[in-house]
Amino acid sequence: GYITATGNTYVYLNKDIGTQVGFVSYRAIVYVYSFSGNYAYIQFKNENGVLTRGYITNTAVYTPASGWATPITKGKVTQYYGDTATDPNGHTGTDVGGHGGSHPEVYAVFNGTAEFRETVRYYPDHSGSDIFADYGKHIRLSSGSYTVIYGHLDSFGCSVPSNNYDSEGYPVSGEVSNLPKRTNSIATKTVSKGTTLGRVGTTGKSTGIHLHFEVRVNGTITDPFTYVVFPKVS
């Protein structure tokens, strides 16, 4: 699970809130051994990076009950859902970056139907090549009321081919921003939880190599942290 309380959450040796054994920060990953009454017994890395065990109030830790897998096992969260750093209206997903020049794999978080797509800007008069836009190479994985999006991928898995175009980047330049857009559906596959869907990239409206992971429930965008625990959150 991960810590949901804002600021630092202090961890204690015993349930009676006596001796402090350290603290964990907002959205830090913890391992929950058990819940007992109003407390959770956890293992965590303290402020000195040492693995430590202790008790916290059970309301301070969130453990997703969805049963979903993590979409990526390498990297760290670089932007949270709702952040306004690159979107005044609030970021629509969770970004996982820190990959340098590598392109780690991304995985299906549940069994479902994966649609492999490419969003591009194009020249109506065919005077130039297509340019990856918005999510760039991306995948929409759906099951029932849930749809998740893996954005800005470098390549597709499941033996699905993809194109190699330039990307519009961020911010989008004036000339490129005036071009119309379209989304091409490359392939649709039935996949199992844990299937490798592709590799992280920086196609579309992107500032660097990262995964943009988005969750929609009945079409409504929601915080991905409700459903998955991401690597190296803190």
Side-chain angles (χ1 to χ4, degrees), residues 97-104 154 199-202 208-210:
H99 306 299
S102 66
H103 301 275
D154 177 72
R199 290 186 176 274
V200 171
T202 183
I209 298 173
H210 74 284

Side-chain angles (χ1 to χ4, degrees), residues 167-210:
S167 290
E168 61 182 353
Y170 178 86
V172 184
S173 66
E175 178 184 354
V176 171
S177 65
N178 292 325
L179 295 175
K181 291 184 287 188
R182 65 169 177 250
T183 296
N184 304 317
S185 181
I186 306 300
T188 301
K189 303 271 188 175
T190 299
V191 299
S192 301
K193 177 179 174 181
T195 298
T196 299
L197 296 179
R199 290 186 176 274
V200 171
T202 183
T203 57
K205 189 176 181 180
S206 171
T207 58
I209 298 173
H210 74 284

Side-chain angles (χ1 to χ4, degrees), residues 11-14 21 33 40-44 52-56:
V11 186
Y12 298 91
L13 182 63
N14 301 301
V21 293
Y33 283 97
Y41 185 55
I42 66 169
Q43 178 172 280
F44 67 105
T52 309
R53 298 182 186 185
Y55 291 91
I56 61 173

Side-chain angles (χ1 to χ4, degrees), residues 59-114:
T59 55
V61 62
Y62 182 81
T63 54
S66 62
W68 293 9
T70 183
I72 187 169
T73 58
K74 297 179 181 178
K76 60 183 179 181
V77 173
T78 54
Q79 191 171 11
Y80 294 102
Y81 170 82
D83 283 355
T84 57
T86 58
D87 187 345
N89 297 318
H91 193 54
T92 57
T94 297
D95 287 353
V96 182
H99 306 299
S102 66
H103 301 275
E105 295 177 338
V106 298
Y107 308 100
V109 294
F110 50 66
N111 301 331
T113 301

